[in-house]
């Protein structure tokens, strides 16, 4: 590769873009607003973050592609990247942050309507901030914290008390006792709740059958998955898929 020619090409594109922005009287949102948004997200402050994003979105968006829809998608992917860095700064485990980012980037790519994309940016903001809030809610002792990290990382696995205890190198009965004392429910109950919460995203945003989703989360019996879903969500998976998309409240996928 000719590095000099590549650099010259990039510089040319930079100046072309700069000139186009000047001719169109366009300027990017201030760095102050970006820092303000990152700070609010890292603190889990929904009100300030939404207000800042509203202020940013009252400005014209950068043109990031010839096709307007593609340009908006690129802009939202940039927002998603910014939100991801912000929640890592706020204490969320990087791998969990990146997984949440992957979920939303796939959703951005699958969305075809401009209004839906604009609403998705705020759904992203809500979900990322909610993740920070969940992280800040309680500080557990290291045994429980390690167990929670493993459960969140391996949510699609067939998680058992014995397997989780082996991963963090403690006796299963000790882990069971400490987990219940600190979290307030049994470890397996917690695992099932988190699996059901995570499965909500796939019900709303995939064409997979309910049986396939149940199997994805380690439930070989669809009836048992439906029973758990009804217990925690108050609806059957079918009812949730058919009705929840009409709700305006964003869900916390993970």
């Amino acid at each position: 590769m000719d590095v000099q020619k590549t650099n010259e090409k990039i510089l040319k594109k930079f100046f072309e873009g700069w000139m186009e922005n000047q001719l169109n009287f366009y300027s990017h949102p201030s760095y102050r607003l970006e820092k303000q948004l990152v700070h609010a997200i890292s603190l889990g402050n929904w009100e300030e973050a939404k207000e800042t994003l509203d202020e940013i979105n009252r400005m014209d968006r950068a043109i990031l592609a010839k096709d307007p829809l593609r340009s908006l998608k690129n802009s939202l992917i940039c927002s998603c990247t910014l939100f991801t860095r912000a929640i890592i700064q706020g204490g969320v485990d990087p791998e969990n942050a990146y997984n949440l980012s992957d979920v939303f980037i796939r959703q951005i790519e699958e969305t075809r309507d401009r209004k839906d994309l604009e609403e998705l940016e705020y759904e992203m903001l809500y979900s990322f901030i909610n993740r920070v809030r969940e992280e800040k809610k309680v500080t557990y002792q290291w045994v429980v914290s390690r167990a929670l990290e493993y459960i969140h990382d391996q949510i699609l696995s067939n998680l058992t008390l014995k397997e989780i205890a082996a991963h963090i190198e403690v006796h299963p009965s000790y882990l069971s006792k400490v987990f219940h004392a600190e979290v307030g429910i049994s470890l397996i109950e917690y695992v099932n709740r988190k699996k059901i919460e995570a499965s909500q995203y796939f019900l709303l945003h995939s064409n997979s059958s309910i049986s396939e989703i149940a199997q994805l989360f380690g439930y070989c019996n669809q009836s048992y998955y439906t029973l758990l879903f009804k217990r925690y969500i108050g609806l059957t998976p079918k009812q949730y898929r058919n009705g929840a998309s009409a709700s305006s409240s964003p869900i916390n996928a993970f």
Side-chain angles (χ1 to χ4, degrees):
M1 184 197 312
D2 191 321
V3 177
Q4 184 175 350
K5 285 185 177 180
T6 301
N7 287 339
E8 288 174 355
K9 186 176 180 180
I10 292 171
L11 283 171
K12 182 181 178 183
K13 290 290 184 182
F14 169 80
F15 284 114
E16 286 175 353
W18 181 82
M19 285 298 297
E20 183 178 352
N21 287 338
Q22 296 301 307
L23 291 170
N24 292 322
F25 301 101
Y26 172 79
S27 61
H28 292 82
S30 72
Y31 183 52
R32 174 190 63 80
L33 282 175
E34 184 177 296
K35 286 199 301 181
Q36 187 173 310
L37 179 58
V38 168
H39 182 66
I41 295 171
S42 69
L43 294 179
N45 188 331
W46 162 252
E47 291 76 16
E48 183 182 345
K50 182 180 182 298
E51 185 178 322
T52 306
L53 185 59
D54 285 342
E55 186 175 350
I56 290 172
N57 283 341
R58 281 193 286 270
M59 307 173 185
D60 292 330
R61 289 184 183 268
I63 299 174
L64 302 176
K66 291 181 179 179
D67 175 61
L69 193 66
R70 180 69 261 170
S71 181
L72 178 57
K73 288 185 178 186
N74 290 345
S75 179
L76 262 61
I77 290 171
C78 292
S79 294
C80 188
T81 302
L82 188 71
F83 297 172
T84 303
R85 299 297 186 273
I87 66 170
I88 292 173
Q89 182 178 316
V92 175
D93 178 77
E95 188 61 27
N96 291 338
Y98 294 141
N99 285 337
L100 185 57
S101 172
D102 292 345
V103 166
F104 276 109
I105 289 174
R106 286 195 293 268
Q107 183 60 24
I108 289 167
E109 290 298 335
E110 292 168 5
T111 303
R112 298 287 178 263
D113 181 78
R114 184 179 183 86
K115 186 175 183 297
D116 290 342
L117 280 169
E118 290 170 349
E119 292 175 354
L120 181 59
E121 185 171 30
Y122 286 88
E123 181 178 336
M124 282 197 303
L125 183 66
Y126 180 92
S127 295
F128 277 90
I129 285 177
N130 202 39
R131 194 69 188 84
V132 173
R133 288 177 172 178
E134 289 293 326
E135 195 74 24
K136 293 180 182 294
K137 271 185 183 178
V138 184
T139 302
Y140 298 110
Q141 62 170 289
W142 75 269
V143 173
V144 176
S145 294
R146 289 279 305 280
L148 291 172
E149 287 175 9
Y150 187 70
I151 290 168
H152 295 160
D153 288 345
Q154 304 294 324
I155 196 64
L156 295 180
S157 302
N158 185 21
L159 295 164
T160 65
L161 172 62
K162 185 176 180 180
E163 177 196 344
I164 298 168
H167 176 76
I168 60 178
E169 299 178 334
V170 296
H171 195 279
S173 61
Y174 174 72
L175 173 59
S176 178
K177 180 180 178 181
V178 174
F179 193 96
H180 194 283
E182 294 211 1
V183 180
I185 58 175
S186 73
L187 184 145
I188 296 305
E189 176 83 357
Y190 182 87
V191 167
N192 281 327
R193 285 187 181 185
K194 288 302 172 183
K195 282 180 176 286
I196 295 302
E197 286 177 14
S199 73
Q200 290 176 272
Y201 176 84
F202 293 88
L203 286 167
L204 291 183
H205 302 297
S206 80
N207 295 321
S208 301
S209 68
I210 293 172
S211 176
E212 289 170 338
I213 293 171
Q215 291 178 4
L216 176 66
F217 285 90
Y219 298 114
C220 56
N221 187 324
Q222 182 181 332
S223 298
Y224 183 55
Y225 168 69
T226 299
L227 179 68
L228 289 175
F229 197 97
K230 181 75 180 291
R231 180 192 301 172
Y232 299 136
I233 308 301
L235 301 167
T236 66
K238 184 177 180 180
Q239 289 170 334
Y240 181 82
R241 170 172 268 176
N242 292 340
S245 57
S247 171
S248 60
S249 298
I251 63 167
N252 178 25
F254 293 95

